[in-house]
Amino acid sequence: MTLRDVQTARTTTAVREAGDPSAPTVVLIHGNVSSSAFFDVLIDALAADFHVLAPDFRGYGDSARATIDATRGMADLSDDVAAVLDALGVDGPVDVLGWSAGGNVALQLAIDHPQRVRRLVLEAPGSPFGFGGSTGEDGRPVADDFAGSGGGTANPQFCAALAAGDRGEEPTSPRTTLRAFYVAPGFTFAPEVEEAYLDAMLKTSVGDDVYPGDTVTSGNWPGVAPGTTGMNNALSPKYLDQSGFADLDPAPPVLWIRGDSDQIVSDTSMFDLAQLGKLGAVPGYPGEEVCPTQPMVSQVRAVLEAAGDYTEVVYEGCGHSPHLEQPERFADEVRAFLRS
């Protein structure tokens, strides 16, 4: 595996690459507050059969820092992936695997560049209707200003710890977040592996431009609404509606893999402020009738059912990162799907 900078027409993107360039290409797209380093084991597992490319988002990992235009939803990031393929001379359709928010980037790539995508693997993907501020399987907004989504929903103590390069074990530290939410309760990393993943998290550019993004105040609970720049705003339903994936003719086949103990992307997500308010963790919650929770998994399923050709696989006792928690099974199922 090599890690190199690729100068594209849009920015400078760090890309992990492995395998024979003449083999079928699979692109791995990481999630929020992470990088392609989280795919190192999976890259090794797939490199014998595929040409593997794993780019870092702008402002994440080893890529150049550049503002994410949230008003385009995931399009800034999916266009960056397309630009990497252009720069590397990868012309034909590729297989794409997206993890967490990377699943939203993968969906956007398929929507905007359908000729680029042959098959999709969605690993614990975010809802096609964004993160926070929507409800129902159709993703209808909870408030007219999409309150409860965007940059202001990130925990400020976590953001401060991330910016400071904190390697401690406080409740809101990056290390504790990695242990408690990226994987299922009880799962432990080998010490050197945990340090490598923490290194990757701490490379996230913190600010209004990248993570979590800017925010505006709202008269609706919980008092914050989305701004216009940065990752968490790009994930707001104000700007992100990927239900159009079902309108592709044809939509690419999808393998959807998720854990049954995922606390991040869930119908009862511990990162949904409405869910936290319902549990009493965020004060002033106005109740389910005013601010219902977001059924994230149900929203994913509704769009994939409308698209038609998908397979859902649920790993028992697994959290938000099946490729880390059950790596051999995950690699085997991905390989079989991409070969079919």
Side-chain angles (χ1 to χ4, degrees):
M1 184 182 68
T2 62
L3 173 63
R4 60 166 163 153
D5 290 337
V6 176
Q7 183 62 53
T8 76
R10 294 174 53 79
T11 184
T12 302
T13 300
V15 180
R16 278 172 161 76
E17 183 174 15
D20 183 349
S22 66
T25 296
V26 57
V27 179
L28 311 181
I29 306 178
H30 67 82
N32 204 357
V33 193
S34 65
S35 80
S36 60
F38 276 77
F39 286 131
D40 279 353
V41 173
L42 181 61
I43 291 170
D44 285 344
L46 297 179
D49 300 287
F50 301 97
H51 175 220
V52 187
L53 299 173
D56 289 338
F57 294 153
R58 53 173 63 198
Y60 288 71
D62 294 294
S63 286
R65 185 168 187 164
T67 299
I68 298 171
D69 180 356
T71 66
R72 302 187 68 221
M74 291 285 100
D76 250 5
L77 302 178
S78 58
D79 283 352
D80 286 349
V81 174
V84 166
L85 296 176
D86 287 339
L88 296 179
V90 180
D91 297 322
V94 300
D95 297 315
V96 182
L97 183 153
W99 168 46
S100 191
N104 294 104
V105 177
L107 284 172
Q108 199 65 47
L109 185 69
I111 291 169
D112 293 341
H113 306 275
Q115 76 284 358
R116 292 277 197 191
V117 180
R118 188 181 76 101
R119 288 174 180 264
L120 275 180
V121 179
L122 299 179
E123 179 192 3
S127 166
F129 301 107
F131 204 99
S134 78
T135 192
E137 292 185 358
D138 58 352
R140 59 189 181 277
V142 172
D144 56 3
D145 63 352
F146 298 88
S149 68
T153 63
N155 186 310
Q157 293 174 305
F158 172 76
C159 294
L162 195 65
D166 181 4
R167 307 186 75 91
E169 299 183 6
E170 295 75 17
T172 56
S173 72
R175 185 187 300 276
T176 298
T177 301
L178 172 66
R179 292 173 175 175
F181 296 105
Y182 281 42
V183 291
F187 183 90
T188 57
F189 296 106
E192 67 278 8
V193 173
E194 179 172 293
E195 295 306 317
Y197 293 155
L198 183 59
D199 287 342
M201 295 174 70
L202 294 176
K203 288 183 177 181
T204 305
S205 299
V206 179
D208 289 351
D209 54 338
V210 178
Y211 177 84
D214 65 333
T215 187
V216 298
T217 58
S218 171
N220 298 307
W221 188 89
V224 293
T228 60
T229 57
M231 174 65 88
N232 285 21
N233 290 313
L235 288 168
S236 166
K238 181 175 183 178
Y239 310 117
L240 188 66
D241 178 354
Q242 298 180 316
S243 58
F245 177 76
D247 298 327
L248 295 177
D249 187 19
V254 173
L255 173 62
W256 174 24
I257 300 178
R258 63 181 182 88
D260 67 353
S261 301
D262 192 337
Q263 299 179 83
I264 297 178
V265 176
S266 167
D267 284 357
T268 54
S269 170
M270 296 303 291
F271 287 73
D272 177 8
L273 291 188
Q275 175 67 18
L276 292 175
K278 189 175 179 181
L279 296 175
V282 178
Y285 180 60
E288 186 78 19
E289 290 186 3
V290 175
C291 190
T293 55
Q294 182 184 4
M296 301 177 186
V297 171
S298 297
Q299 290 175 343
V300 173
R301 187 177 296 112
V303 170
L304 294 184
E305 285 182 348
D309 189 358
Y310 85 100
T311 300
E312 179 181 357
V313 180
V314 182
Y315 288 10
E316 294 184 4
C318 182
H320 189 58
S321 309
H323 76 285
L324 303 180
E325 298 169 73
Q326 299 186 31
E328 292 184 4
R329 177 185 177 185
F330 185 85
D332 286 345
E333 292 187 334
V334 168
R335 190 182 298 109
F337 173 70
L338 298 184
R339 282 174 171 170
S340 64

